[in-house]
Amino acid sequence: MKIHHKIYVLSIALMAIPSSGYAQSGGSLTPPTGVPSAIMKTLDEVEARTAISTLPYTISVSGSYYLTKNLSSAADGITISASDVSLDLNGFSLSGSDPDPSMEGVNVVGAAGAPVDNVSIHNGVIRGFGNAIELSYVENSVVKNLRCSNAGSVTVDISNSHGNTVTRVKVRSNAGDALLVTDSDDNLIKENHFVEGAANAEYKGIHIDSGKYNLIVNNFCANYKDNFKFNGDAVYGPEAKKKGKLDDNKDSGHPWANFSLDQE
């Protein structure tokens, strides 16, 4: 019975607290007038992007660009002449109808003394052009996460360009070198997968023709006349040539190893 008395006392004490104290601490319950303003930012407010829906297309202004669908061209695909550009293929493809060596899928072009700087090309497919990617007088740029096929000449052509990265690019069935570096320094070629479809041709997988301080690591090349051809002052991991299970204590276990399978 004493417990019941305590409960009654507590209930009376709570009832004695003025209700105005709760109302004042919680603020007004009256909703504001008018239409509530948006609190989420649009995609363009987060990062303004320009859509590309036709080819050929020239990017001459810095910014972020993206494909809206699969696109094809009987001429060049996309030409980039501006610095500070992001080109997102957005999972779509650029297809050329003429693999003539003069036709470029994506052509990034600067000039002697005025290189294009800070360009990113990524996330899609490039097929059927003379060159899938060409970098000429380009610095501090990235080519990554691309699948390239049926190039009529060199698939990734780098000349007079420095400090760039090519990574996670897959090349198949090209009619030329998979990647060619000429008169270019300080480039990183890493984690790419190049397979030639036409055995006994005179093509190279990764060909460093001239330049210095280029680093070539963790790449796979197969079925080229020369899977790896290095001139100049290239720096590269050991070339592991073995089918089947790779040995941890051999060349294939080296953290910078490149992997090579000869023509069949």
Side-chain angles (χ1 to χ4, degrees):
M1 297 299 293
K2 292 182 180 180
I3 296 175
H4 291 170
H5 288 311
K6 291 181 180 179
I7 294 175
Y8 294 149
V9 173
L10 177 60
S11 300
I12 293 171
L14 291 174
M15 293 174 63
I17 297 175
S19 60
S20 60
Y22 292 105
Q24 291 175 358
S25 64
S28 175
L29 297 179
T30 303
T33 60
V35 179
S37 60
I39 60 174
M40 299 293 291
K41 291 184 177 181
T42 66
L43 186 59
D44 281 342
E45 288 174 325
V46 175
E47 180 186 23
R49 304 208 304 169
T50 300
I52 298 176
S53 55
T54 60
L55 297 179
Y57 191 93
T58 298
I59 298 174
S60 57
V61 177
S62 301
S64 182
Y65 297 79
Y66 68 100
L67 297 192
T68 60
K69 59 183 179 180
N70 296 323
L71 299 175
S72 59
S73 175
D76 290 338
I78 297 173
T79 300
I80 301 174
S81 59
S83 295
D84 303 313
V85 168
S86 172
L87 174 59
D88 184 359
L89 301 189
N90 207 23
F92 294 113
S93 63
L94 297 176
S95 297
S97 60
D98 184 359
D100 183 279
S102 65
M103 301 300 179
E104 316 287 350
V106 178
N107 184 19
V108 188
V109 55
V116 167
D117 186 87
N118 189 31
V119 171
S120 177
I121 306 162
H122 51 276
N123 298 341
V125 175
I126 304 174
R127 63 167 72 93
F129 291 93
N131 304 113
I133 301 284
E134 180 163 357
L135 307 182
S136 180
Y137 294 101
V138 178
E139 296 184 355
N140 307 313
S141 296
V142 178
V143 176
K144 64 180 181 179
N145 297 336
L146 297 174
R147 288 162 288 156
C148 305
S149 62
N150 301 110
S153 183
V154 176
T155 304
V156 180
D157 194 355
I158 301 172
S159 62
N160 300 290
S161 297
H162 315 298
N164 303 292
T165 297
V166 178
T167 185
R168 298 189 178 182
V169 175
K170 185 175 179 63
V171 171
R172 293 182 64 252
S173 302
N174 51 309
D177 294 350
L179 183 143
L180 174 63
V181 175
T182 308
D183 296 328
S184 300
D185 305 331
D186 189 28
N187 297 287
L188 173 61
I189 314 301
K190 181 179 181 182
E191 295 179 358
N192 300 287
H193 189 278
F194 302 152
V195 177
E196 169 55 46
N200 301 316
E202 296 298 319
Y203 312 140
K204 283 89 174 170
I206 296 178
H207 185 185
I208 310 299
D209 180 69
S210 53
K212 54 189 178 182
Y213 314 134
N214 294 294
L215 178 60
I216 303 95
V217 296
N218 302 139
N219 299 282
F220 177 88
C221 293
N223 216 30
Y224 293 89
K225 178 66 174 179
D226 295 300
N227 289 323
F228 297 95
K229 179 72 173 179
F230 301 142
N231 296 323
D233 296 326
V235 178
Y236 46 92
E239 184 176 347
K241 296 183 177 182
K242 182 180 179 181
K243 294 182 180 180
K245 184 178 179 180
L246 302 174
D247 298 327
D248 292 338
N249 59 348
K250 302 293 184 179
D251 288 342
S252 57
H254 194 284
W256 285 8
N258 293 291
F259 299 90
S260 173
L261 290 180
D262 292 333
Q263 293 179 346
E264 296 181 348

